[in-house]
């Protein structure tokens, strides 16, 4: 099977943990030990969260008074490299030397009209008590929401639209690599309306589960797993009547409400993937991932037409030629050739390329959601970032 596994930021850095490299490495090692055995029989794509880590980097950047603070898209890219490196290193230590593991910086476009820009809701960074949060809000202009007993910073979380590096991801998978990508939901970017001109970074954090769901669709995953620090999605969470959902259809989930900042995005992503692909999505504890893959643990979201499939059918490795790495590579080559054929001959001429380059350098209209601006050149601006 081809499996996309989304690791929650809190699975890699628990709420009570100090945000040190050694603690994160220890937690990543635990995650890698759970994931590595799956690589023997399955194609794997790993997506990780970054909520605690991007908040930490933001605080570190704010502490340096000699330069303008780093924007969120750059911090997102930083966490992709930082966490991706730890995951890649630990997986390489556990997998055969011939099995390649690659971390790919991944940009994902967002809609400038997304209503999330007007209503920040994505938790980032550590928790504070009420007084400390109020002081930071007044000092830095940040928005805080309550998360359990603590207060945490919230930032816009627009929906992912398109994964710009999807072709390299498919290429690596077709050649047998374990791919770590779309970390932290991807680096949020915007393209001008014409899709020509400068690619712009955005002050936002894309929800990792929604980005992973889009990725699972794009790579035609057979199974989409969201591994977190609880063993599934619960109804009545925190009450005496709480109960874990076992197998459920996407439409059944729509009748229930889940916490917007935690389980809500996971449930929504699972329902979307199952409904659109007809394949299984699952939510559960990282420690149970082998059982989750077997359909024996977690909350399993399955389209009604697929409910009759057994756990053995879910986990059986397909034997047809279409499932081999060679067939996958051939399919990808065919898709690339089809894309090339759809381009008119004029778009491939040197003159057309020159025209496109001129258009790309032309100023683009500013989108509604104001992206990060680069500092203007001139005296006193060099080295300001």
């Amino acid at each position: 099977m081809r499996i996309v596994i989304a690791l929650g930021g809190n699975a890699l850095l628990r709420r009570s943990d100090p945000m040190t490299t050694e603690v994160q490495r220890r937690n990543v090692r635990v995650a890698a030990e759970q994931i590595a055995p799956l690589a023997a029989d399955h194609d794997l794509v790993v997506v990780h969260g970054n909520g605690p880590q991007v908040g930490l980097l933001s605080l570190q950047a704010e502490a340096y008074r000699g330069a303008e603070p780093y924007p969120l898209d750059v911090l997102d890219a930083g966490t992709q490299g930082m966490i991706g490196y730890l995951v890649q290193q630990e997986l390489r230590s556990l997998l055969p030397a011939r099995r390649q593991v690659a971390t790919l910086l991944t940009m994902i476009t967002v809609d400038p009209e997304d209503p999330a820009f007007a209503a920040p809701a994505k938790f980032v960074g550590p928790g504070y008590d009420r007084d400390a949060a109020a002081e930071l809000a007044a000092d830095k202009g940040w928005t805080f929401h309550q998360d359990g007993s603590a207060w945490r910073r919230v930032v816009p979380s627009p929906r992912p639209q398109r994964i710009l590096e999807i072709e390299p991801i498919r290429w690596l998978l077709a050649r047998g690599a374990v791919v770590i990508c779309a970390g932290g939901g991807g680096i949020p970017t915007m393209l001008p309306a014409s899709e020509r001109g400068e690619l712009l970074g955005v002050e936002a954090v894309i929800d990792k589960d929604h980005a992973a769901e889009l990725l699972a669709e794009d790579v035609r995953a057979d199974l989409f797993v969201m591994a977190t620090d609880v063993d599934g999605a619960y109804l009545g969470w925190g009450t005496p009547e709480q109960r874990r959902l076992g197998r459920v259809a996407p439409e059944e989930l729509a009748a229930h409400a889940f916490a917007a900042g935690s389980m809500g995005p996971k449930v929504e992503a699972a329902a979307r993937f199952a409904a659109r692909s007809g394949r299984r999505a699952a939510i559960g504890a990282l420690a149970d991932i082998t059982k989750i893959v077997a359909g024996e643990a977690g909350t399993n979201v399955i389209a009604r037409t697929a409910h009759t499939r057994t756990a053995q059918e879910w986990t059986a490795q397909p034997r047809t030629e279409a499932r081999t790495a060679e067939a996958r590579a051939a399919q990808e080559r065919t898709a690339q050739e089809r894309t090339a054929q759809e381009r008119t001959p004029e778009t491939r001429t040197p003159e057309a390329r020159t025209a496109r380059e001129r258009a790309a350098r032309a100023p683009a209209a500013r989108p509604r959601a104001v992206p990060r601006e680069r500092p203007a050149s001139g005296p006193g601006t060099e080295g300001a970032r």
Side-chain angles (χ1 to χ4, degrees), residues 264-324:
K266 291 176 173 55
V267 168
E268 187 176 351
R272 180 180 176 87
F273 177 78
R276 290 170 64 94
S277 70
R279 300 183 178 93
R280 180 167 61 109
I283 303 167
L286 178 61
D288 297 332
I289 196 162
T290 302
K291 291 183 178 180
I292 292 171
V293 170
E296 298 169 356
T299 296
N300 291 273
V301 185
I302 308 166
R304 287 190 182 279
T305 55
H307 264 217
T308 58
R309 296 183 68 179
T310 66
Q312 288 75 21
E313 289 174 319
W314 284 120
T315 56
Q317 180 72 12
R319 301 298 182 185
T320 64
E321 181 182 0
R323 293 296 188 180
T324 65

Side-chain angles (χ1 to χ4, degrees), residues 199-223:
L199 186 65
L200 303 171
V202 181
E203 286 276 11
V205 173
I206 300 170
D207 184 86
K208 169 261 307 172
D209 295 314
H210 289 311
E213 188 280 324
L214 176 61
L215 176 65
E217 286 192 51
D218 283 353
V219 300
R220 298 175 183 172
D222 301 291
L223 173 62

Side-chain angles (χ1 to χ4, degrees), residues 42-54:
H42 306 290
D43 297 336
L44 295 184
V45 186
V46 179
V47 180
H48 59 78
N50 74 343
Q53 293 86 352
V54 77

Side-chain angles (χ1 to χ4, degrees), residues 306-363:
H307 264 217
T308 58
R309 296 183 68 179
T310 66
Q312 288 75 21
E313 289 174 319
W314 284 120
T315 56
Q317 180 72 12
R319 301 298 182 185
T320 64
E321 181 182 0
R323 293 296 188 180
T324 65
E326 293 81 3
R328 287 191 186 278
Q331 290 169 357
E332 300 304 335
R333 286 195 299 272
T334 300
Q336 292 170 2
E337 291 167 1
R338 188 184 306 116
T339 300
Q341 291 169 359
E342 289 172 354
R343 298 172 181 159
T344 63
E346 291 75 12
T347 66
R348 297 195 292 267
T349 64
E351 293 80 5
R353 287 196 297 270
T354 302
R356 287 203 309 275
E357 290 167 359
R358 285 199 301 268
R361 289 193 294 269

Side-chain angles (χ1 to χ4, degrees), residues 38-44 92 95-101 176-178:
L38 300 174
D41 299 315
H42 306 290
D43 297 336
L44 295 184
R92 272 194 176 276
L95 294 174
R98 66 180 181 277
R99 188 67 183 270
Q100 293 299 307
V101 184
V178 175

Side-chain angles (χ1 to χ4, degrees), residues 159-218:
R159 289 300 183 99
Q161 300 294 312
R162 180 156 64 96
I163 300 171
L164 297 183
E165 285 74 29
I166 192 61
E167 288 303 324
I169 293 168
R170 290 170 176 161
W171 188 92
L172 288 165
L173 279 173
R175 285 151 183 82
V178 175
V179 184
I180 303 161
C181 61
I187 305 165
T189 55
M190 287 181 187
L191 287 166
S194 64
E195 295 202 359
R196 292 182 175 182
E198 185 181 12
L199 186 65
L200 303 171
V202 181
E203 286 276 11
V205 173
I206 300 170
D207 184 86
K208 169 261 307 172
D209 295 314
H210 289 311
E213 188 280 324
L214 176 61
L215 176 65
E217 286 192 51
D218 283 353

Side-chain angles (χ1 to χ4, degrees), residues 84-158:
Y85 161 66
L86 294 176
V87 176
Q88 181 174 337
Q89 187 180 53
E90 295 301 326
L91 282 175
R92 272 194 176 276
S93 298
L94 296 167
L95 294 174
R98 66 180 181 277
R99 188 67 183 270
Q100 293 299 307
V101 184
T103 300
L104 190 66
L105 285 180
T106 314
M107 293 186 288
I108 299 182
T109 62
V110 298
D111 183 356
E113 303 288 347
D114 194 302
F117 288 108
K122 175 67 176 176
F123 289 115
V124 298
Y128 301 92
D129 60 36
R130 183 189 293 269
D131 292 341
E135 184 176 344
L136 284 168
D139 182 42
K140 302 183 183 300
W142 291 352
T143 302
F144 284 84
H145 287 173
Q146 191 166 6
D147 182 20
S149 61
W151 292 78
R152 295 177 66 194
R153 183 188 177 192
V154 290
V155 298
S157 184

